[in-house]
Amino acid sequence: MKVPDYIAKLKAYVPGKPIEELEREYGISGSVKLASNENPIGPSPKAVEAIKEALKDLHRYPDGYNYLLRQRLGEKLQVSSSEIVFGNGSNEIIELLARTFLQEGDEVIMPSPSFLMYEIMVQAAGARPVKVSLKDLAVDLEKMAERVSGDTRMVFVNNPNNPTGTIVSRDAFEAFLDRISSDVIVVMDEAYIEFVRAEVCPRGLDYLHSEKAVVTLRTFSKAYGLAGLRIGYGVMKKDIADYINRVRQPFNTNMLAQVGALAALNDDAFFERTIRMVHEELDFLYEEVSKMGLRCFPTQANFFLIDLEQDANEVFERLLSRGVIVRAMTAYEYPKYIRVNVGLPEENQRFVEALKEVL
Ligand SMILES: *Cc1c(COP(=O)(O)O)cnc(C)c1O
């Protein structure tokens, strides 16, 4: 069997174990998961209702154009239908961008640590990831601009950045864009943009019609509570979308995801409840953990980092045995940090209690 060198060198992404499996291993039950930045409230009830209604049509193929969701989203974002590409999660848009625009020898600049998918998808397309370290836990746009070479085809900016929760400012982003050729695709991954409170935060959509090639990624997996359905999208200039649509499978978003996302998009009450709760609970967690004398890092997302000043894996295991699942940051170059996302009020209480016990 022959496999390209760049595939042989890939390391498979290690997902968190399912809750059921962890509970079996540790002999626990009723555990709380604060590890994957999901919406703790659950899915939008309107989405669930719409999905039930659509079940009777499962023998049909989905709408390959995703017409209804496309119309509604275009309206809401004030962009043209032809500027949107849907994906099986925004992860698929990352993959499609890589498969459509990259080949061997190309370079893609990305922050590090950041979302691991950038590196995997870029490498799987045969191109070279160029990782630029964060500065004070934030994406270092200046350094990234300096690393642009004649081989650079794409730059990823994760705003807010996962796993640090930091943002870049509008000024910094515009200064960065000024230095980037319009031939280089700048991908703004805004998976957590709905949670941002800082006013200086730029929005990729504001640069859609600038001369630069800015692609904005958004998802229904976080604030909209539909991670299990797998649907997200990219907003980009029509010519970029046209190329991706040649590579994309026609039915890459499934029927239930399409109707669920549309219903969730129209469920303002659910969305507002989510954002309000995340902000209130984030403030609660931040205060409680700070009171314990631990350093928490300011965040604009629905998760934040805590410096434990000791081996994070060990604390992770001890929390786990108390039924609290968080993410140790060992694979992200922070061996003493954990990342915790906001849960329901009672889940956050439980996390705080468990953390006090294990430290
Ligand atoms: C969660 C997340 C996504 C969303 O991925 P989906 O495939 O839409 O579920 C994208 N980017 C980052 C940085 C994330 O953390």
Side-chain angles (χ1 to χ4, degrees), residues 95-115:
E95 179 176 18
L96 285 168
L97 282 162
R99 285 179 49 212
T100 306
F101 293 101
L102 302 179
Q103 54 187 348
E104 260 188 286
D106 290 345
E107 288 182 355
V108 177
I109 298 175
M110 59 191 68
S112 177
S114 186
F115 196 42

Side-chain angles (χ1 to χ4, degrees), residues 57-199:
D57 298 321
L58 280 185
H59 59 305
R60 305 287 182 201
Y61 278 100
D63 168 11
Y65 188 66
N66 205 348
Y67 183 82
L68 294 174
L69 179 60
R70 186 179 293 275
Q71 289 297 110
R72 178 71 190 103
L73 193 61
E75 216 175 85
K76 188 155 180 159
L77 301 177
Q78 298 282 302
V79 303
S80 144
S81 302
S82 55
E83 293 169 325
I84 305 173
V85 177
F86 291 96
N88 185 38
S90 53
N91 268 290
E92 194 195 8
I93 310 292
I94 298 171
E95 179 176 18
L96 285 168
L97 282 162
R99 285 179 49 212
T100 306
F101 293 101
L102 302 179
Q103 54 187 348
E104 260 188 286
D106 290 345
E107 288 182 355
V108 177
I109 298 175
M110 59 191 68
S112 177
S114 186
F115 196 42
L116 296 173
M117 283 303 135
Y118 309 143
E119 189 179 351
I120 295 174
M121 300 305 181
V122 164
Q123 201 182 328
R128 191 162 57 240
V130 176
K131 299 199 269 183
V132 175
S133 296
L134 302 183
K135 185 176 168 190
D136 301 330
L137 296 193
V139 174
D140 188 350
L141 289 174
E142 241 174 82
K143 191 63 69 50
M144 287 171 77
E146 281 167 21
R147 293 297 297 274
V148 172
S149 77
D151 292 329
T152 305
R153 297 287 169 267
M154 208 175 280
V155 182
F156 281 95
V157 179
N158 188 197
N159 202 49
N161 186 55
N162 180 8
T164 55
T166 50
I167 56 163
V168 298
S169 72
R170 195 177 296 119
D171 287 350
F173 185 65
E174 289 183 358
F176 164 78
L177 276 188
D178 279 344
R179 296 174 64 181
I180 300 289
S181 145
S182 55
D183 294 336
V184 173
I185 297 178
V186 176
V187 184
M188 277 292 253
D189 182 349
E190 298 186 338
Y192 302 97
I193 198 76
E194 295 88 354
F195 302 110
V196 170
R197 288 188 266 192
E199 286 186 358

Side-chain angles (χ1 to χ4, degrees), residues 120 129 145 189 201 208 231 251 263 291 314 320 322 332 350:
I120 295 174
D189 182 349
C201 184
L208 175 62
I231 184 161
F251 306 120
K291 271 198 284 191
E314 283 172 24
L320 201 52
R322 283 168 174 75
Y332 290 80
R350 201 163 138 199

Side-chain angles (χ1 to χ4, degrees), residues 96 99-100 239-250:
L96 285 168
R99 285 179 49 212
T100 306
D239 59 336
I240 301 180
D242 285 347
Y243 284 118
I244 292 184
N245 281 326
R246 299 180 197 187
V247 176
R248 170 179 83 80
Q249 292 191 40

